[in-house]
Amino acid sequence: EDPRRSATFAALGLFAVAVLCARLGRLLFLLDLPVTDDEGAVRFGGEVLASGRLWAQLGPLIDYVQNRFLFVGPDGKATSLDWLGGQLLWTLGTLLGQPDLLFALVAALPVLALVRFLSARLSPAYGLLGGALFLASPMAFALSLTSHEHLGSRAFLGLFLWLLLDAEDAAQPGGSPQRRAALLGLAAGLSLG
């Protein structure tokens, strides 16, 4: 049996476990509800953007909405002031009809990237161990249950690790280092959200 194929299946299995933990954990423990003010602002902003608008008229409803990270004008129109990346994730999830599943997938992406990165740098066994340790981390696990904008930052950090390996391959003769370096810089910048 090919050890690389076995390691790939194990990595995909770990990714599936990460998605399942995030999705079921959010459903069972958080009841698919935002738990922080900024998470509520991301959801609000994403749903407003999904409606094709930048503002929502709240009027007297403003007293019943988590509004700490919202900008509310004197006319009662509100918009989110939270990180646009998280709002765009929620927008895409709303348009697809599965925002909670999308956030579970985004929460699991760093697991896959970490497995690939450590497998390439050390060995497939270390890659799987690193992915499992990430998944078992209480902080990573708890954050994975949310639709917090930091999941996007974490996913872009995982993309950075993925692209770092690709950029090193592109630095070999015949590669395209400039384009890869630009993508690597973009992923690093977006991870700072």
Side-chain angles (χ1 to χ4, degrees), residues 157-181:
L157 186 57
L159 180 62
F160 172 81
L161 292 176
W162 193 283
L163 292 173
L164 182 62
L165 293 174
D166 290 345
E168 290 171 351
D169 290 342
Q172 304 302 320
S176 172
Q178 292 83 6
R179 186 181 62 138
R180 303 281 175 115

Side-chain angles (χ1 to χ4, degrees), residues 98-167:
Q98 292 293 328
D100 297 312
L101 179 59
L102 179 65
F103 273 94
L105 289 166
V106 168
L109 284 175
V111 172
L112 200 56
L114 188 59
V115 169
R116 180 177 186 251
F117 184 80
L118 291 174
S119 294
R121 293 291 180 146
L122 301 172
S123 74
Y126 278 111
L128 293 171
L129 179 63
L133 287 174
F134 180 89
L135 185 59
S137 159
M139 181 63 185
F141 180 80
L143 186 61
S144 295
L145 305 185
T146 70
S147 59
H148 203 276
E149 71 274 0
H150 287 300
L151 291 180
S153 297
R154 204 171 73 177
F156 279 116
L157 186 57
L159 180 62
F160 172 81
L161 292 176
W162 193 283
L163 292 173
L164 182 62
L165 293 174
D166 290 345

